[in-house]
Amino acid sequence: MTSNVSLAVWCKPKKQTATTQIEAHFNYWRIAGDANFRRSDKEAISDFIEVGLMVDDPTQIDSIRIFIPLEVERIAVTDCSTYFTTADIAQGIFNELLRGVGAANSGPKSVELLRGDNSVFARVHSFTKSDSGIVAKELDLEKRDNGTLLTISSHALNDASALYGQSPSPAYFRLRINISDVESNPLIRVVSTPDRLLQSSYDQIEYLDFRLNEARTLPDPLELDMRNERGTGVKMRLVAFLTAIPVQSEISISNNASHKMRLLEHDLWNAYMPGGIPEGMVVYHWKRTASGLIESALTGEFTGEIGDFTAFVKLRTRRSSVRIWLAYLAVAFVFGVLGNLVANFVQSCIDGRW
């Protein structure tokens, strides 16, 4: 199991004098947290993490790196751009009054997000896909440092730059990563409950530990590459972290107060996930924006950017089901039988002695 290893995001600029900025958006969908949920497509239930990156000026960037402390296969990484053609989805993600216009039939593919006055808010890049997932020409995957380094390549950035040249607007990239291996999940830890078989219902404790660009918990070779490639040209001005958890789970401890929370609109977001989502999920949202001078954890210098970001959440979920009840009754029955046998044995020993 991967433990306390940070995620990382950085840009490799074309020149050290690059002046553009980026925003990083992370969404963690705790789908597997609802033990009673069954997907409509009958597939296995798993959590997802989404990474969204807003780039003000893609013409200044050669590539974008994303490190996930988990080994993933290409087929587990999908492009979310098609969902932005649904206006409610686009508005829900950006909290802006937007509508999405689908990709053109030729040329660089993207979904344009338009404001009410038809001005372009951003262009969501549409990755080219094959049967095995997003093509390597646009998204490179490298297994390293007990994780996976994803690189949005210069080919994808060139497409975004071509559209930027026609009409300057930010480029947005959004990837979804399926986390099928529960034991290797870098974000969620479930605390074992040794006495759960002795209870008809019990509280399950788990914690969500999200870290971004935290130098001390990044693998040393990766942290070195990060410092060498990113330079000082591209600043990160905002980090947003959102998690959607089942309504039966409650936050008992958080290192920071959430920016906002709400009940997820099931009818709208059910179509956003393959196989749907559980009824009654609650969304918690944290964010940090760069203001003034911030000390960079990587360089130790003071810059007007976000150096790192953490969100720690302890969850408490009440577990109660027919399966738990049956297990409890079975254990109680076994204890009862053993108790009677021991009592009879003790009684026979007493009777024999006297």
Side-chain angles (χ1 to χ4, degrees):
M1 178 183 289
T2 304
S3 176
N4 299 330
V5 178
S6 176
L7 287 77
V9 167
W10 73 94
C11 295
K12 181 180 178 182
K14 291 182 177 178
K15 298 179 180 179
Q16 289 296 316
T17 55
T19 57
T20 190
Q21 296 183 334
I22 66 169
E23 295 182 3
H25 308 151
F26 296 86
N27 288 14
Y28 186 78
W29 295 80
R30 183 66 175 128
I31 306 297
D34 188 335
N36 298 316
F37 175 64
R38 297 295 180 268
R39 286 174 52 151
S40 60
D41 57 7
K42 310 301 181 183
E43 296 292 330
I45 298 168
S46 60
D47 290 350
F48 300 86
I49 183 170
E50 292 181 355
V51 183
L53 299 168
M54 180 80 79
V55 181
D56 287 352
D57 182 357
T59 64
Q60 299 188 42
I61 296 177
D62 179 71
S63 59
I64 303 174
R65 314 283 199 196
I66 306 165
F67 176 73
I68 306 293
L70 171 73
E71 291 193 359
V72 297
E73 303 301 326
R74 181 170 298 275
I75 196 66
V77 184
T78 54
D79 173 31
C80 295
S81 63
T82 56
Y83 294 108
F84 287 87
T85 56
T86 302
D88 288 339
I89 295 292
Q91 292 173 24
I93 289 176
F94 289 108
N95 198 28
E96 296 268 358
L97 187 60
L98 302 170
R99 60 185 177 89
V101 178
N105 292 325
S106 61
K109 302 290 193 301
S110 71
V111 176
E112 284 197 339
L113 299 179
L114 304 179
R115 301 184 181 91
D117 60 1
N118 286 328
S119 62
V120 180
F121 171 78
R123 293 187 180 92
V124 185
H125 178 76
S126 295
F127 288 90
T128 304
K129 292 171 280 292
S130 66
D131 291 340
S132 59
I134 299 173
V135 299
K137 194 173 184 178
E138 293 198 355
L139 181 70
D140 181 63
L141 269 71
E142 178 188 357
K143 305 284 184 64
R144 58 171 294 183
D145 300 306
N146 296 317
T148 305
L149 182 64
L150 295 84
T151 300
I152 300 175
S153 70
S154 58
H155 189 277
L157 267 301
N158 288 341
D159 279 356
S161 296
L163 294 172
Y164 184 89
Q166 297 174 16
S167 174
S169 295
Y172 190 68
F173 305 86
R174 193 175 185 94
L175 298 170
R176 176 183 295 160
I177 301 165
N178 177 33
I179 304 176
S180 57
D181 187 350
V182 177
E183 293 299 319
S184 298
N185 191 329
L187 297 180
I188 285 286
R189 299 286 184 275
V190 179
V191 180
S192 62
T193 310
D195 63 343
R196 64 184 182 277
L197 293 178
L198 303 179
Q199 305 178 62
S200 58
S201 63
Y202 63 93
D203 286 336
Q204 178 177 284
I205 305 299
E206 55 189 4
Y207 62 90
L208 191 158
D209 189 5
F210 175 82
R211 307 173 186 219
L212 177 69
N213 291 1
E214 188 180 62
R216 67 183 182 85
T217 55
L218 280 172
D220 289 341
L222 187 89
E223 189 266 342
L224 178 61
D225 289 347
M226 184 177 180
R227 281 191 288 111
N228 289 338
E229 287 190 354
R230 72 189 300 221
T232 59
V234 182
K235 310 294 185 184
M236 185 179 294
R237 67 161 178 267
L238 180 145
V239 175
F241 176 66
L242 176 149
T243 185
I245 63 176
V247 70
Q248 61 265 34
S249 299
E250 62 179 20
I251 291 181
S252 57
I253 296 175
S254 174
N255 66 329
N256 293 304
S258 62
H259 170 61
K260 59 183 178 181
M261 61 175 288
R262 75 178 194 276
L263 186 67
L264 202 63
E265 303 87 349
H266 184 267
D267 291 342
L268 169 61
W269 294 95
N270 193 52
Y272 185 68
M273 285 289 168
I277 61 174
E279 289 274 2
M281 297 196 79
V282 180
V283 168
Y284 296 88
H285 186 200
W286 293 263
K287 74 174 182 179
R288 181 182 177 191
T289 56
S291 58
L293 295 179
I294 299 172
E295 184 177 7
S296 171
L298 289 173
T299 64
E301 298 175 353
F302 286 87
T303 60
E305 67 173 327
I306 296 174
D308 55 23
F309 177 91
T310 62
F312 179 86
V313 179
K314 181 181 178 182
L315 302 173
R316 184 187 301 272
T317 306
R318 191 67 178 175
R319 297 296 186 194
S320 179
S321 66
V322 173
R323 184 176 180 181
I324 293 173
W325 269 88
L326 291 176
Y328 167 72
L329 291 174
V331 172
F333 175 77
V334 170
F335 269 94
V337 171
L338 291 175
N340 284 331
L341 291 174
V342 171
N344 290 335
F345 175 76
V346 172
Q347 186 63 49
S348 65
C349 289
I350 294 174
D351 294 341
R353 180 178 180 182
W354 293 100

